C-alpha cells in the first residue's frame, strides 16, 4: 500500500512539473551548490538572481515564479530565497524537490 501511495505522489509531482514547464511561468531551480537556474539561465549569487529576476519581470507580464530545489538543499536556503522573492510582487509556487537536472 505504501508503494502505491508513493507511486501516486510521484505521478502527481511529475504531472505538475510537466504542466509548469509547458506554461509561461518563470522557473527558478535552486541547485545543491547554492547557485540557481532562472528560466534555464545559470546564476551564481543571490544578488545576481535578484537583479536578473527584476530585469525579467520588466520584460514580461508574467508574475508567477515556480520554485524547485535539489532534494539536498536545506529548508533554510529555500526559505531565504522565498524571502528574497516576496518583496518583488510575484506569486510563488513550489513544485517540490528533485535531484539536479
Amino acid at each position: 500500500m505504501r508503494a502505491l501511495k508513493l507511486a501516486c505522489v510521484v505521478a502527481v509531482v511529475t504531472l505538475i512539473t510537466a504542466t509548469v514547464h509547458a506554461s509561461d511561468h518563470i522557473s527558478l531551480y535552486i541547485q545543491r551548490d547554492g547557485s540557481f537556474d532562472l528560466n534555464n539561465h545559470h546564476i551564481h549569487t543571490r544578488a545576481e538572481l535578484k537583479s536578473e529576476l527584476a530585469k525579467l519581470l520588466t520584460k514580461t507580464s508574467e508574475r508567477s515564479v515556480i520554485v524547485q530545489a535539489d532534494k539536498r538543499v536545506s529548508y533554510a536556503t529555500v526559505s531565504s530565497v522565498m524571502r528574497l522573492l516576496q518583496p518583488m510582487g510575484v506569486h510563488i509556487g513550489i513544485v517540490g524537490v528533485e535531484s539536479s537536472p
Side-chain angles (χ1 to χ4, degrees):
M1 184 64 137
R2 186 170 185 208
L4 179 59
K5 287 181 183 177
L6 181 58
C8 289
V9 169
V10 170
V12 169
V13 170
T14 302
L15 177 62
I16 291 171
T17 303
T19 302
V20 167
H21 292 298
S23 71
D24 291 330
H25 288 89
I26 297 168
S27 66
L28 173 61
Y29 187 85
I30 306 170
Q31 299 285 349
R32 70 178 174 191
D33 66 359
S35 63
F36 310 94
D37 288 325
L38 181 63
N39 283 356
N40 296 317
H41 174 70
H42 193 71
I43 295 174
H44 298 280
T45 66
R46 291 173 198 266
E48 186 182 357
L49 172 63
K50 189 173 182 178
S51 173
E52 291 298 318
L53 184 57
K55 288 178 196 175
L56 186 58
L57 290 170
T58 62
K59 296 177 183 177
T60 180
S61 62
E62 184 57 55
R63 304 304 288 177
S64 296
V65 177
I66 303 302
V67 178
Q68 292 179 283
D70 184 279
K71 66 182 176 182
R72 292 161 286 207
V73 172
S74 71
Y75 175 80
T77 298
V78 175
S79 181
S80 69
V81 170
M82 302 291 280
R83 285 192 304 274
L84 180 126
L85 297 176
Q86 286 174 337
M88 301 184 89
V90 297
H91 304 284
I92 303 167
I94 300 177
V95 173
V97 295
E98 58 183 44
S99 296
S100 295

